[in-house]
Amino acid sequence: YADWIKACGERKVEIISEQQTGDFVGMYDRQQLSLLKETGAQCVTDPSPETYEQIQQVASSHRIALENGAVYMLQNKLYPSKKLALNENLTEYVGKEGRDDYMEFVFTQDEAGNWKVYNEKYNKWLGVTGQTEERVPATTKADAATYEVTSSATGFSVLSCTKPGNGGIPAIHLAAHGHVVPWTSSADASMWKICKVGISTDLDSVLTPAPTAQPVRIYDLQGRLVKKPVLGGVYIVNGRKKLVK
């Protein structure tokens, strides 16, 4: 049994190091690799369910999170050469290759923990997702939509509108014709790698989150962010293992 736990611990560290460590939101912070390896070494030296679970706790506690007021670029999963961008008319969003300031977006968080997304240079905000094949508009701050961002340990995130025009297709999705439209959150083209590229200088546009407490982040034992934990389940809550009652 001890040898099995030891092998599982070594494999867990290997998977996190090779497949879940990187620069994208949701991934394990590469700057914490030494801590992860130290925790894995403890599991090898003293193999037990507790030392194995500590590996997952460390991994869950050091995932890269979105930062309020930071600037990001979003790379599509299905079309990896394409990034989310404003079109040149500043009316909607498209997938675009290369890199320019049409692709840089600031994320600002509200008190509920949801996000608004805007391009700082052109002052255009991500609008509400509508009906099938309806293009997601670039709009003003007053008409900006809020989005729930769900990220996986492999670095793919889904942006789902909190008040969509069609509740069945709330996610921003890069369609084959190159325009961004609403679709289901499970589709590959609805998933994005979000990478930080800077910090906003437009501080007046950054929404200030509630100052009373840090948001609670809940993960399952596989390191996946959980929005609605099930009663009786075991989760990692802000780095600690807890039973939801």
Side-chain angles (χ1 to χ4, degrees), residues 194-207:
I194 305 177
C195 184
K196 181 180 174 181
V197 295
I199 297 292
S200 171
T201 58
D202 185 12
L203 298 181
D204 290 338
S205 294
V206 176
L207 305 178

Side-chain angles (χ1 to χ4, degrees), residues 86-151:
L86 281 169
N87 70 342
E88 293 185 356
N89 293 329
L90 307 180
T91 57
E92 61 166 302
Y93 297 87
V94 295
K96 187 176 178 181
E97 296 183 351
R99 176 170 179 174
D100 57 33
D101 50 20
Y102 288 94
M103 303 176 181
E104 296 184 355
F105 297 95
V106 179
F107 279 69
T108 64
Q109 191 174 31
D110 63 16
E111 294 184 357
N114 295 315
W115 300 87
K116 291 187 177 182
V117 183
Y118 76 104
N119 181 282
E120 184 173 359
K121 180 174 181 178
Y122 299 105
N123 194 27
K124 289 294 183 178
W125 297 66
L126 190 61
V128 174
T129 55
Q131 301 299 322
T132 303
E133 289 300 320
E134 185 178 343
R135 299 175 185 179
V136 178
T139 188
T140 63
K141 181 178 179 181
D143 294 326
T146 56
Y147 281 80
E148 178 183 51
V149 181
T150 305
S151 304

